Amino acid sequence: MPFKRYVEIGRVALVNYGKDYGKLVVIVDVVDQNRALVDAPDMVRGQMNFKRLTLTDITIDIPRVPKKKTLIEAMEKADVKNKWENSSWGRKLIVQKRRASLNDFDRFKLMLAKIKRAGVVRQELSKLKKDTSS
Amino acid sequence: MAAKRKTPMKTRNPDLIRGVGKYSRSKMYHKRGLWAIKAKNGGVFPRHDAKPKPPAAAEKPPKFYPAEDVKKPLLNKRKPKPTKLRASITPGTVLILLAGRFMGKRVVFLKQLTSGLLLVTGPFKINGVPLRRVNQSYVIATSTKVDISGVNVEKFDDKYFSKEDKKKLPEDKKEDQKAVDASLIKSIEGVPDLKAYLAARFSLKSGMKPHELVF
């Protein structure tokens, strides 16, 4: 099984540890075997160990260590935000965040909705069962 | 004694470093306007001689002198502060009771009484919790708020809850409950599912981590 996602300049990665946990960053240069120079539109460019990054499928076309302005333009051109939010990984993270932010009343309403949906499903199932058995 | 100032006196001589003022004695004399006070008083600083006091009544010598010196207890100037109400608890907040007979019930917060306890109500028709006092420490404040503008809670205080007759609940207390709950129930029914929410009890289910839950 060969590798599919490579560390390269322009690779978009997700930070999985530390102060910037959960952010999407772009690998902008490689420092040495273990570290990369990493940049994002809302953070100061800085080094990060590869162990703190999880590579995504998204890459953008940038020169090595671009200026912030060129980085932002390249991200807009490649439409990183929408690609991420429509990918199954990105959608899962959004749902997780939403579930964590539910307040007590929201959780109650969610429980009622789940019960209602289960009731509808059960009704359809019993209808189908009746049709096959009769 | 002269009347107390409302704000403490701001010194006219700022510190250069601790112990050294910016202005010399002569400059401070001028800044304080002592020359003007003297000029107003004819060249001398005004003196206020002690007013003649009426002669104090002759004190009788005490009948009893204790054998050993009697120790005076230390002075206690402590003024207990009113219980600070958590910022998340405002009138109309839905609270979760954590202990007691109504453990897990979701109730509506009305106001904080002078003793520091919180006045809450079910409303009674929805979940069986009457007008009741509860301690802030035994309560989780949720971020759900109910519109409480139509309710008059002026008449309730700690004295209202002292029990004369422990067996029977007087009729006027029942009337008070109905009066408070009437407008509350109307605003609760305006929000979908809120009535069922208040009727249900809260419990921790499998997988719920209280330190990660948002209330």
Side-chain angles (χ1 to χ4, degrees), chain B residues 30-50:
Chain B
H30 178 76
K31 274 173 95 75
R32 287 173 66 195
L34 300 179
W35 52 274
I37 296 175
K38 273 192 174 178
K40 226 164 126 181
N41 205 38
V44 288
F45 204 76
R47 271 186 67 180
H48 296 289
D49 291 316

Side-chain angles (χ1 to χ4, degrees), chain B residues 70-194:
Chain B
V70 178
K71 277 203 170 151
K72 264 180 44 197
L74 289 172
L75 206 56
N76 182 4
K77 287 212 182 126
R78 181 170 176 264
K79 282 199 205 53
K81 288 201 276 225
T83 316
K84 190 153 176 242
L85 191 61
R86 260 182 272 159
S88 53
I89 303 180
T90 62
T93 312
V94 173
L95 307 174
I96 301 177
L97 300 180
L98 294 174
R101 187 165 170 217
F102 299 106
M103 180 160 34
K105 293 267 191 198
R106 297 166 170 126
V107 296
V108 178
F109 169 69
L110 297 176
K111 75 171 188 179
Q112 182 181 34
L113 303 168
T114 43
S115 64
L117 299 174
L118 312 180
L119 176 67
V120 296
T121 179
F124 186 68
K125 264 217 144 60
I126 296 184
N127 55 19
V129 179
L131 280 164
R132 202 167 202 267
R133 293 183 298 173
V134 83
N135 189 313
Q136 214 189 144
S137 311
Y138 297 94
V139 137
I140 294 181
T142 66
S143 48
T144 316
K145 312 259 186 241
V146 173
D147 181 19
I148 211 177
S149 47
V151 180
N152 186 343
V153 279
E154 297 293 312
K155 66 181 281 201
F156 302 114
D157 59 352
D158 291 293
K159 271 215 303 279
Y160 178 87
F161 290 99
S162 65
K163 290 199 176 118
E164 293 98 18
D165 178 7
K166 294 208 180 186
K167 295 273 187 202
K168 199 164 175 332
L169 186 65
E171 276 303 316
D172 52 344
K173 290 215 172 157
K174 295 190 189 168
E175 292 302 318
D176 290 335
Q177 180 77 54
K178 285 200 200 125
V180 168
D181 288 353
S183 56
L184 256 185
I185 291 183
K186 247 203 287 254
S187 46
I188 288 172
E189 287 179 343
V191 181
D193 292 332
L194 188 58

Side-chain angles (χ1 to χ4, degrees), chain A residues 31-67:
Chain A
V31 175
D32 61 15
Q33 191 189 310
N34 294 318
R35 289 178 298 157
L37 192 62
V38 128
D39 203 355
D42 59 344
M43 73 181 250
V44 177
R45 196 201 301 151
Q47 60 89 30
M48 220 178 244
N49 192 314
F50 288 119
K51 292 186 178 173
R52 291 197 177 195
L53 299 174
T54 327
L55 304 180
T56 68
D57 287 329
I58 309 173
T59 47
I60 64 178
D61 185 19
I62 46 168
R64 188 183 73 91
V65 192
K67 288 207 185 344

Side-chain angles (χ1 to χ4, degrees), chain A residues 100-105 107-109 112, chain B residues 96 106 143-144 192-193 196-197 202 214:
Chain A
S101 71
L102 288 179
N103 85 28
D104 193 45
F105 189 27
R107 268 175 266 132
F108 181 78
K109 286 190 273 191
L112 293 183
Chain B
I96 301 177
R106 297 166 170 126
S143 48
T144 316
D193 292 332
Y197 174 62
F202 171 83
V214 168

Side-chain angles (χ1 to χ4, degrees), chain A residues 10-15 20 22-28 37-46 48 58 60 62 66-82 84:
Chain A
R11 173 69 61 181
V12 173
L14 186 70
V15 180
D20 301 306
K23 270 212 204 140
L24 277 184
V25 292
V26 179
I27 295 178
V28 143
L37 192 62
V38 128
D39 203 355
D42 59 344
M43 73 181 250
V44 177
R45 196 201 301 151
M48 220 178 244
I58 309 173
I60 64 178
I62 46 168
K67 288 207 185 344
K68 205 64 159 215
K69 206 168 69 159
T70 25
L71 177 70
I72 295 179
E73 278 170 10
M75 288 184 87
E76 294 288 317
K77 193 149 157 271
D79 207 11
V80 169
K81 191 162 185 287
N82 283 330
W84 177 245

